[in-house]
Amino acid sequence: MRNFVSVRDVTDIDALVKKALAFKADPYSAETLGKRKRVGCLFLNPSMRTRLSTQLAAQNLGMEVMVFNVGSEGWALEFEEEAIMSGSTVEHIKDAAPVFGKYFDILAIRTFPSLKNREDDYSELYIKQLIKYAGIPVVSLESSTLHPLQSFTDIISIQESLNEAPVIGRKPKIVLSWAPHIKPLPQCVANSFSQWITQWNKADFVITHPEDYELSEEFTLGATIMHDQKKALEGADFVYVKNWSTFKDYGKIYTNDPEWMLTQDSWSVTNNAKVMHCLPVRRNVELSDEILDGPMSIVTRQAGNRVWAAQTVLSEILTHG
Ligand code: CP
């Protein structure tokens, strides 16, 4: 693996999951792999889990980690080719990225979408320009359209639950359920989860959302789409709850119907489903307290597994990058 920006960089998801669970069982099994290697983590946007888990993962491999909050502490970066830089941007990525390439062995970057212009966001210009000019491997810490470390973590968490309580005689049913939110959020987590689950091809995968909240078909091909949440949740083994803003009429909130919040009542039609969310979560807007605080929630397990996902990706790049 040279870069890690989407599931397309992965040849064998199951092998990667196995490796992650081995790291979970023995975190220091490769503690010298990254000796005298440095990873630079560039944040243009806020983070808790991604930032801390990536640092822990690198340290477990013996790497040095430097975190640079570019968005709040660095020069404002320009990513457009041939830009006339007479506005607010101070340094072009063409000049900054090769410098990062001199300082680090691996670069990781978080770049959220603007949610203003779909074509711009879905072009993934920022991460593509970093890959083009840095000359070293690049890991996505969440880009404009995808969150691959989160999705890898999600599959690790699903597999771990299935190892403990296998679903016999059929594929597990996994439902991605839209939830209300007060702000327009990116489609990254939903796109990425859908892309990974369909590529994994080990589940009966259903996406449920209100009308007009369709995700890009680029990511949902192979999923069953339903607008009736109750029907979609029937018999589910896993329910992944997540808000996203509209894709077609880009970045809008069309509805905030509280009926879409996952509650004990709506959950009751599932097959005692494990409930997932990437966090941070708006309690009693996206998910009710009774769900988040109940035995069905595996959200803390998911967040904990972020370390093993990041450790696996870094170790793959250190070994084969
Ligand atoms: N799930 C996730 O990416 O969390 P952070 O935004 O806190 O990194």
Side-chain angles (χ1 to χ4, degrees):
M1 184 189 292
R2 167 76 182 174
N3 301 303
F4 183 78
V5 299
S6 90
V7 75
R8 293 196 194 99
D9 296 309
V10 177
T11 46
D12 185 342
I13 294 176
D14 282 324
L16 225 55
V17 168
K18 210 169 157 194
K19 186 166 181 176
L21 290 174
F23 274 136
K24 184 168 185 172
D26 187 1
Y28 303 110
S29 56
E31 63 185 343
T32 58
L33 183 67
K35 193 176 171 192
R36 300 199 182 140
K37 302 278 185 189
R38 283 192 209 101
V39 55
C41 297
L42 313 179
F43 284 89
L44 278 79
N45 312 96
S47 168
M48 181 178 101
R49 281 145 288 268
T50 307
R51 175 178 172 149
L52 297 177
S53 61
T54 306
Q55 285 182 268
L56 287 168
Q59 286 166 4
N60 287 349
L61 295 168
M63 298 187 84
E64 282 182 50
V65 196
M66 296 181 88
V67 172
F68 181 21
N69 294 312
V70 192
S72 56
E73 295 165 0
W75 301 117
L77 290 173
E78 176 64 56
F79 289 85
E80 290 287 347
E81 293 290 338
E82 297 174 23
I84 297 170
M85 290 174 56
S86 55
S88 58
T89 54
V90 178
E91 180 161 27
H92 203 283
I93 194 69
K94 258 175 153 168
D95 303 309
V99 178
F100 295 136
K102 293 281 178 218
Y103 295 163
F104 302 112
D105 300 283
I106 299 175
L107 264 183
I109 186 165
R110 168 166 280 201
T111 64
F112 284 173
S114 67
L115 291 182
K116 291 188 172 74
N117 182 310
R118 188 176 73 187
E119 281 67 38
D120 283 355
D121 288 345
Y122 274 69
S123 76
E124 291 284 11
L125 178 71
Y126 286 22
I127 209 148
K128 283 184 182 158
Q129 291 289 68
L130 194 68
I131 290 170
K132 184 173 175 186
Y133 291 116
I136 57 173
V138 170
V139 174
S140 168
L141 300 174
E142 188 169 351
S143 65
S144 295
T145 65
L146 296 171
H147 196 353
L149 275 175
Q150 180 66 52
S151 312
F152 178 27
T153 304
D154 298 333
I155 293 196
I156 294 167
S157 307
I158 290 168
Q159 186 59 63
E160 200 178 23
S161 293
L162 289 171
N163 290 348
E164 291 163 3
V167 171
I168 313 282
R170 61 176 174 85
K171 285 182 172 178
K173 180 175 177 182
I174 300 175
V175 180
L176 170 62
S177 183
W178 181 91
H181 202 284
I182 59 156
K183 282 172 59 182
L185 295 189
Q187 295 102 34
C188 307
V189 170
N191 283 344
S192 197
F193 184 71
S194 181
Q195 193 187 37
W196 278 72
I197 294 292
T198 50
Q199 175 93 10
W200 194 39
N201 199 21
K202 293 225 162 146
D204 171 13
F205 182 44
V206 177
I207 304 175
T208 182
H209 57 71
E211 287 189 25
D212 298 323
Y213 273 86
E214 280 74 22
L215 295 162
S216 167
E217 285 177 9
E218 178 188 349
F219 305 110
T220 60
L221 211 66
T224 303
I225 316 285
M226 297 174 78
H227 297 139
D228 182 338
Q229 189 198 40
K230 187 170 181 208
K231 258 199 145 12
L233 291 174
E234 277 170 13
D237 301 294
F238 296 88
V239 181
Y240 199 111
V241 181
K242 185 71 186 90
N243 169 268
W244 61 87
S245 58
T246 53
F247 170 72
K248 280 186 186 151
D249 179 21
Y250 192 56
K252 304 279 192 315
I253 295 180
Y254 277 179
T255 176
N256 249 334
D257 184 353
E259 286 293 312
W260 278 84
M261 175 171 74
L262 191 75
T263 62
Q264 185 88 29
D265 187 41
S266 50
W267 174 86
S268 65
V269 300
T270 71
N271 183 33
N272 196 24
K274 303 285 184 210
V275 178
M276 307 175 72
H277 190 284
C278 61
L279 301 179
V281 63
R282 296 267 180 165
R283 276 178 176 257
N284 302 310
V285 176
E286 295 174 82
L287 284 158
S288 67
D289 278 340
E290 61 196 357
I291 293 284
L292 279 165
D293 299 332
M296 65 288 270
S297 168
I298 59 165
V299 300
T300 309
R301 166 181 280 200
Q302 274 175 274
N305 284 340
R306 293 293 305 269
V307 176
W308 320 117
Q311 190 164 333
T312 303
V313 167
L314 291 175
S315 85
E316 285 289 305
I317 292 173
L318 286 169
T319 310
H320 308 291

